[in-house]
């Protein structure tokens, strides 16, 4: 194991899949020597055609609602794509999700809790964990946001500038995680044994509380109307509670989500 860990830390050819996504962008900042591959450069549903010493596998089908009506395509990316990464034979980090849990617990989910995904997306990500095999770090995180790409923070900033009020669900609780913090934690993970690790921001909130914090920190005057998941009526079911914590003593500890939000806004709203 020591040998594998040392090799991963000093890996020469580091690949980042999903380089066009928000986590991919953060990983490329944290690992400046890595080669980033966008979907155009490698569609992971196709077999690999190159070699690598370490892969940070951030490519995924992340359209949670869209997966409900296109389960085969979602599985082709999240399960088949992960099998293809495993075929490279290099150690890799597979990024998984809090949506592998059903949300019926009312205290933080730890690695030994049994998954029971509610949605197609959650099921494909869980099957992707199995496809990752034994020589992989499975980094489960939650509610990702960053200064690029599609995410809740950027959506709320855009809506908050246009409207006096936004309706946001207040009956789902999780830990919004800044991709910059997850990228730093990913580096720490490489010094730890393979297996499942919960790697999410400290603290928790509902989406409505998160929206209020975004407006507060950004100085935007917009009210948050608290609604239920049922009122929003999205196609994919989501866990009502999906706070992740690690039960493993060596696990990377991430800053509080509010700290992540401030760092993200400092990039999005330079003075
Ligand atoms: N977002 C969250 O809240 C969240 C929470 C927990 C875990 N995760 C996991 O974290 C990882 C990164 O998520 P993210 O938020 O960075 O997602 P993202 O911004 O949607 O990025 C995913 C990237 O994967 C690419 N991709 C999709 N299909 C592909 C394919 N067939 N071949 C190659 N690339 C493909 C996408 O390209 P296109 O833009 O061209 O589609 C996109 O650039 C994923 O594994 C996700 O499941 C995300």
């Amino acid at each position: 194991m020591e040998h594998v860990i040392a090799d991963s830390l000093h890996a020469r050819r580091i690949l980042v899949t999903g380089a066009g996504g928000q986590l991919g962008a953060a990983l490329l900042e944290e690992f400046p020597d890595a080669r980033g591959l966008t979907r155009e450069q490698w569609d992971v549903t196709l077999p690999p055609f190159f070699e690598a010493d370490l892969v940070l596998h951030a490519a995924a089908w992340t359209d949670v609602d869209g997966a409900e009506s296109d389960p085969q395509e979602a599985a082709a990316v999240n399960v088949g794509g992960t099998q293809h990464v495993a075929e490279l034979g290099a150690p890799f980090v597979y990024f998984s999700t809090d949506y592998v849990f059903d949300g019926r617990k009312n205290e933080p989910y730890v690695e030994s809790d049994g998954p029971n995904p509610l949605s197609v997306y959650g099921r494909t990500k869980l099957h992707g964990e199995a496809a990752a095999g034994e020589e992989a770090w499975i980094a489960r995180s939650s509610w990702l946001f960053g200064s690029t790409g599609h995410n809740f923070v950027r959506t709320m900033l855009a809506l908050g500038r246009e409207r006096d009020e936004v309706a946001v669900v207040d009956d789902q609780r999780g830990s919004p995680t800044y991709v910059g913090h997850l990228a730093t934690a990913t580096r720490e993970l490489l010094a730890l044994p393979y297996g499942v690790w919960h790697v999410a921001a400290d603290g928790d909130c509902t989406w409505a509380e998160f929206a209020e914090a975004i407006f507060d920190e950004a100085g935007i005057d917009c009210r948050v109307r608290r609604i239920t998941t049922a009122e929003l009526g999205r196609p994919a079911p989501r866990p009502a509670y999906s706070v992740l914590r690690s039960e493993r003593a060596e696990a990377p500890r991430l800053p509080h989500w509010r700290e992540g939000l401030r760092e993200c806004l400092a990039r999005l709203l330079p003075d």
Side-chain angles (χ1 to χ4, degrees), residues 242-262:
S242 60
V243 178
L244 301 178
R245 290 289 166 263
S246 184
E247 63 194 345
R248 305 179 72 169
E250 331 87 282
R253 304 286 160 197
L254 275 65
H256 195 276
W257 61 264
R258 251 195 193 266
E259 178 56 34
L261 175 59
R262 288 192 194 110

Side-chain angles (χ1 to χ4, degrees), residues 6-140:
D7 279 357
S8 301
L9 282 173
H10 301 109
R12 283 173 299 126
R13 292 167 302 178
I14 304 177
L15 284 185
V16 174
T17 68
Q22 56 174 344
L23 178 58
L27 289 168
L28 286 169
E29 275 192 35
E30 178 67 30
F31 296 85
D33 296 334
R35 180 179 168 207
L37 296 177
T38 62
R39 184 208 287 252
E40 288 68 36
Q41 291 164 310
W42 182 31
D43 179 335
V44 298
T45 62
L46 304 172
F49 49 86
F50 44 76
E51 295 185 334
D53 298 311
L54 172 69
V55 184
L56 308 177
H57 178 37
W61 176 297
T62 55
D63 177 357
V64 176
D65 290 314
E68 295 294 312
S69 51
D70 215 345
Q72 285 177 336
E73 281 302 306
V77 181
N78 293 349
V79 188
T82 305
Q83 265 157 2
H84 286 142
V85 172
E87 281 169 21
L88 283 164
F92 72 103
V93 182
Y94 171 77
F95 294 95
S96 192
T97 170
D98 53 326
Y99 286 6
V100 299
F101 294 112
D102 62 19
R104 296 202 181 103
K105 204 178 168 192
N106 51 19
E107 58 187 64
Y109 282 96
V110 293
E111 289 88 346
S112 59
D113 284 320
N116 182 31
L118 302 175
S119 62
V120 168
Y121 168 76
R123 278 194 291 280
T124 62
K125 291 298 294 183
L126 183 61
H127 293 154
E129 290 185 4
E134 299 296 312
E135 294 193 5
W137 298 268
I138 293 168
R140 287 191 189 138

Side-chain angles (χ1 to χ4, degrees), residues 113-245:
D113 284 320
N116 182 31
L118 302 175
S119 62
V120 168
Y121 168 76
R123 278 194 291 280
T124 62
K125 291 298 294 183
L126 183 61
H127 293 154
E129 290 185 4
E134 299 296 312
E135 294 193 5
W137 298 268
I138 293 168
R140 287 191 189 138
S141 196
S142 60
W143 296 25
L144 298 189
F145 65 94
S147 58
T148 65
H150 300 287
N151 61 63
F152 186 79
V153 172
R154 284 165 49 96
T155 302
M156 284 300 124
L157 290 177
L159 290 178
R161 288 186 186 113
E162 286 168 8
R163 302 182 187 177
D164 296 332
E165 182 180 277
V166 289
V168 185
V169 298
D170 194 36
D171 56 359
Q172 293 172 34
R173 179 166 292 275
S175 298
T177 302
Y178 177 49
V179 287
H181 291 164
L182 178 55
T184 305
T186 299
R187 181 180 288 286
E188 293 174 45
L189 212 53
L190 300 178
L192 297 170
Y194 297 135
V196 177
W197 296 87
H198 284 186
V199 194
D202 193 22
D204 58 74
C205 59
T206 67
W207 289 111
E209 289 165 356
F210 191 31
E212 282 171 348
I214 294 165
F215 296 148
D216 183 32
E217 295 284 347
I220 292 174
D221 189 13
C222 180
R223 276 187 313 280
V224 174
R225 184 161 58 87
R226 295 170 180 239
I227 60 168
T228 63
T229 301
E231 281 175 87
L232 189 64
R234 301 288 281 273
R238 287 156 169 86
Y241 180 95
S242 60
V243 178
L244 301 178
R245 290 289 166 263

